Amino acid sequence: SIFAGVSFKPLSAEAGREMAWVLMRLAAGAEYPLCHYEAGPGAEEGLVLSGELIAAGRLHVAGDYFFVPGETGLGEALS
């Protein structure tokens, strides 16, 4: 990954919908810009499996689902 402390594993993708499912792991203290797509900003959603994640300014813990609409602009996910 080009982001320090961030790793990805593609699970599936839907051609034509600019949609993909990936398993992403963020090391403690890692940062990842949300809605970072070459085709333009899109929505981000996820499920926190363990640890804590701050996405779009909100704290999420293990078991939390989050959704960040694409029109909210770029944000960051912090582990």
Side-chain angles (χ1 to χ4, degrees), residues 21-22 24 26 32-35 37 43-49 52-69 76-78:
W21 283 90
V22 295
M24 182 167 56
L26 281 75
Y32 171 75
L34 295 174
C35 305
Y37 302 102
E44 290 264 353
E45 61 184 317
L47 177 65
V48 179
L49 299 177
E52 296 179 344
L53 175 75
I54 299 172
R58 296 191 60 200
L59 175 65
H60 303 278
V61 298
D64 285 353
Y65 165 84
F66 68 90
F67 177 81
V68 181
E76 287 185 323
L78 308 170

